[in-house]
Amino acid sequence: MLPSENKYLTNVSFDTVIFGFTGEELKILVLEYQNTGLFALPGGYIRRDENLLDAAKKGIMRRTGLKTIHLEQFHTFGKLNRSNPEPSKRIAKGLGYEMPDDHWVLDRFITVGYYSLINYNQVRPTPNKFSDSINWYSINNLPPLMMDHEEIVKKALEAIRTDLGKKPIGTNLLPEKFTMKELRKVYEAILDKKLRRTTFQRKILSMDILIRHEKLYTGAANKAPYLYSFNKEKIEKL
Amino acid sequence: MLPSENKYLTNVSFDTVIFGFTGEELKILVLEYQNTGLFALPGGYIRRDENLLDAAKKGIMRRTGLKTIHLEQFHTFGKLNRSNPEPSKRIAKGLGYEMPDDHWVLDRFITVGYYSLINYNQVRPTPNKFSDSINWYSINNLPPLMMDHEEIVKKALEAIRTDLGKKPIGTNLLPEKFTMKELRKVYEAILDKKLRRTTFQRKILSMDILIRHEKLYTGAANKAPYLYSFNKEKIEKL
DNA sequence: TTTTATTGTATCAATTTGATACAATAATGC
DNA sequence: GCATTATTGTATCAAATTGATACAATAAAA
């Protein structure tokens, strides 16, 4: 096949690590291919007529049902041994057809990694025609992932940890309004360590990126916490 | 041409931003193609039988004469409009041959950006067969670069600025032994701002990554500064 | 020996962070 | 009602870090 006859770019793909927060722990979306026992990150190929970033966004919007999504690129993986035609062959076989050995998807791929932090509850995980299921898995209890996808997850985790200090990444992990405790839990889940309650509160308030709203009465026998939302205008200016 | 007949991966390339330090300002290596007036970053393609990183290293070692090099990946550029067959055609024409319109190097490319900080004085800039010259240009006075290479430089600068806080990046910009003033000048050039002399010294010494050596007698009529080198063992452990 | 420019470090103030204390308060039980 | 309980919001003081300044040490020249 001539390159120009292919709708997609060859030798390049994208893979995404989509983080969600249950209130207690971080999870990521992992899909499982039919009849293969193979687990993988959501990913895909780039059409010749679209931007790399748009290709990745489109793919993730389809997998999650979200209408908008913010993706951050964190690393591109290009080791020689990361490509392996076996999984793709097994996936094709699992779907009931044989793939010719010179098919372009069996060639070597360099993949661009993106991460996103999204609202766990707004997502409708949607399998594609190749996959059996797509589900949330705790980052501390992932199934074995195919190829180098575990390395990709590891790099994504490192990236969100270092980015957390710079940008208020947590913006999309929580509902519109949230309590200070919930926000702290997000930070604790990402950094994987406890934070001092009072210091966290002082620090985050001094950043002046939160708007305080009404109190939240949960029925608990104690002082009700305020609800907050992110001041998106101020965050833009950072 | 069938993909497998091509020695190189298609649709993927790398480009590098190689920083050097003159003692006063940051420069980068820029090459100029013969008879075209086109200026570009050093870059290249990835052979099917080599790692992405190795391909980039090999390319830069050839352009600089260095035997070893450390590259940091900072971003991958995949916009649809970044690819443009005209420069490549002009480059081919400048060399005296016509390129067929369906040649793989005229196709769309997604390029992986790497930066490196190296010792200005140890480099022998070496043009390749396509380029007229390869030279150092001050980052404040670059020639107009082709395609999106100016955006690539901008991203590389952002990357070294944020990485400077995390890793002691300056390690390779200076000779083996250097004075505290020289080290501070490096930081000032990268961050593009003056740093407080005493605070810088206290902070960098407290990091415990420097080894103090003999004094440097320059003949100047004042107290001679100590020479320092990086303690590479301790830096590894960070 | 004095002078000059620069280096290395000490010192004290200002700011930020860590640790603790405590008042405010929303339900509950009596 | 009124004490009880758990949690929140903030104040307070100590500890650590950073900023600003001062000053002694010193290499060479006058």
Side-chain angles (χ1 to χ4, degrees):
Chain A
M1 181 166 60
L2 284 171
S4 51
E5 290 174 27
N6 190 345
K7 196 164 76 173
Y8 295 95
L9 296 181
T10 51
N11 303 317
V12 208
S13 60
F14 66 87
D15 282 292
T16 56
V17 186
I18 308 298
F19 293 94
F21 183 64
T22 61
E24 281 304 320
E25 56 177 3
L26 274 185
K27 300 200 171 215
I28 65 172
L29 283 176
V30 172
L31 51 83
E32 182 176 4
Y33 289 106
Q34 285 169 38
N35 310 317
T36 59
L38 286 173
F39 294 88
L41 294 172
Y45 307 110
I46 302 112
R47 286 172 55 129
R48 299 188 150 272
D49 62 355
E50 68 185 354
N51 294 320
L52 167 60
L53 177 59
D54 293 336
K57 279 190 177 177
K58 221 172 61 186
I60 297 318
M61 291 192 290
R62 273 201 301 259
R63 279 315 124 255
T64 58
L66 294 174
K67 298 251 182 336
T68 60
I69 193 156
H70 176 80
L71 292 181
E72 283 284 333
Q73 189 191 300
F74 62 93
H75 194 73
T76 295
F77 301 83
K79 280 195 190 135
L80 188 52
N81 65 6
R82 74 169 298 278
S83 289
N84 175 355
E86 285 315 311
S88 294
K89 283 190 183 177
R90 272 170 69 187
I91 291 162
K93 212 166 209 163
L95 291 165
Y97 47 80
E98 291 286 331
M99 210 170 241
D101 277 349
D102 64 347
H103 193 288
W104 64 277
V105 306
L106 300 180
D107 201 357
R108 176 175 166 197
F109 275 89
I110 285 178
T111 201
V112 183
Y114 287 91
Y115 73 75
S116 186
L117 301 131
I118 65 182
N119 190 327
Y120 184 79
N121 296 306
Q122 288 179 3
V123 170
R124 294 285 144 259
T126 313
N128 62 13
K129 59 180 173 177
F130 305 116
S131 50
D132 231 9
S133 68
I134 176 165
N135 280 117
W136 290 107
Y137 287 84
S138 160
I139 53 168
N140 298 312
N141 194 21
L142 293 177
L145 302 180
M146 72 182 210
M147 288 168 48
D148 61 347
H149 286 198
E150 290 181 9
E151 189 192 337
I152 295 176
V153 172
K154 204 175 136 219
K155 272 269 188 189
L157 266 170
E158 287 170 15
I160 64 170
R161 277 171 193 154
T162 60
D163 290 356
L164 189 60
K166 289 178 281 178
K167 315 168 182 186
I169 278 188
T171 358
N172 299 310
L173 281 177
L174 291 171
E176 178 67 18
K177 292 182 182 178
F178 48 85
T179 64
M180 193 58 78
K181 189 177 193 172
E182 288 170 326
L183 184 59
R184 181 163 48 87
K185 289 279 179 193
V186 168
Y187 275 69
E188 290 179 342
I190 292 175
L191 298 173
D192 195 27
K193 67 172 180 187
K194 292 275 170 202
L195 298 176
R196 209 161 296 282
R197 179 182 68 93
T198 56
T199 310
F200 178 80
Q201 181 141 340
R202 179 175 56 192
K203 219 160 136 187
I204 210 95
L205 286 177
S206 75
M207 289 173 74
D208 197 29
I209 53 168
L210 295 183
I211 301 168
R212 182 185 274 187
H213 301 279
E214 72 280 7
K215 289 187 171 185
L216 172 71
Y217 297 91
T218 60
N222 51 41
K223 187 172 178 179
Y226 287 105
L227 285 169
Y228 296 88
S229 67
F230 286 104
N231 187 335
K232 286 178 185 166
E233 282 178 35
K234 295 217 172 167
I235 287 173
E236 288 304 315
K237 289 183 201 154
L238 295 183
Chain B
M1 182 165 62
L2 286 170
S4 51
E5 290 174 28
N6 191 344
K7 198 164 75 172
Y8 296 94
L9 296 180
T10 51
N11 303 317
V12 208
S13 60
F14 66 86
D15 282 291
T16 56
V17 186
I18 309 298
F19 292 94
F21 182 64
T22 60
E24 281 303 320
E25 57 176 3
L26 274 186
K27 298 198 171 216
I28 65 171
L29 284 176
V30 173
L31 52 82
E32 182 177 4
Y33 288 107
Q34 285 167 37
N35 311 316
T36 60
L38 287 172
F39 293 88
L41 293 172
Y45 307 111
I46 302 111
R47 288 171 54 128
R48 300 189 150 271
D49 62 355
E50 69 185 354
N51 293 321
L52 168 60
L53 178 59
D54 293 336
K57 279 190 179 178
K58 221 173 60 186
I60 297 317
M61 291 193 289
R62 273 201 301 257
R63 280 311 127 258
T64 58
L66 294 174
K67 298 252 184 331
T68 60
I69 194 157
H70 177 80
L71 292 181
E72 283 287 330
Q73 190 191 299
F74 62 92
H75 194 74
T76 295
F77 300 83
K79 281 196 189 131
L80 188 51
N81 66 5
R82 74 168 300 277
S83 289
N84 175 354
E86 284 315 313
S88 294
K89 282 190 182 176
R90 271 170 69 188
I91 291 161
K93 211 165 212 164
L95 291 165
Y97 48 80
E98 291 285 331
M99 211 169 238
D101 278 348
D102 64 346
H103 193 286
W104 64 276
V105 306
L106 300 180
D107 200 357
R108 177 176 165 195
F109 275 89
I110 285 179
T111 201
V112 184
Y114 287 92
Y115 73 74
S116 186
L117 300 131
I118 64 181
N119 190 327
Y120 183 79
N121 296 305
Q122 288 179 2
V123 171
R124 294 283 144 261
T126 312
N128 64 13
K129 58 181 174 178
F130 305 117
S131 50
D132 231 11
S133 68
I134 177 166
N135 280 116
W136 291 107
Y137 287 85
S138 160
I139 54 168
N140 298 312
N141 194 21
L142 292 177
L145 302 180
M146 71 182 212
M147 288 166 52
D148 61 348
H149 288 199
E150 290 181 10
E151 188 190 339
I152 296 176
V153 172
K154 203 176 137 220
K155 272 270 188 190
L157 266 170
E158 287 170 15
I160 65 170
R161 277 171 191 153
T162 61
D163 290 356
L164 188 61
K166 290 178 280 179
K167 314 168 182 185
I169 278 188
T171 348
N172 298 311
L173 281 178
L174 292 170
E176 177 67 19
K177 292 182 183 177
F178 48 85
T179 64
M180 192 58 78
K181 188 177 194 172
E182 288 170 327
L183 183 59
R184 180 164 48 85
K185 289 281 180 191
V186 167
Y187 275 69
E188 290 180 342
I190 292 176
L191 298 173
D192 195 26
K193 67 172 178 188
K194 292 275 169 200
L195 298 175
R196 211 162 296 282
R197 180 181 67 93
T198 56
T199 310
F200 178 80
Q201 180 140 339
R202 178 175 56 191
K203 218 160 140 188
I204 210 95
L205 286 176
S206 76
M207 289 172 74
D208 199 27
I209 52 168
L210 294 183
I211 301 167
R212 180 186 276 189
H213 300 279
E214 71 281 7
K215 289 186 172 184
L216 172 70
Y217 298 90
T218 60
N222 51 41
K223 187 171 178 179
Y226 287 105
L227 284 168
Y228 295 89
S229 67
F230 285 105
N231 188 335
K232 286 177 185 166
E233 283 179 33
K234 295 217 171 164
I235 287 174
E236 288 304 315
K237 289 182 200 153
L238 295 182

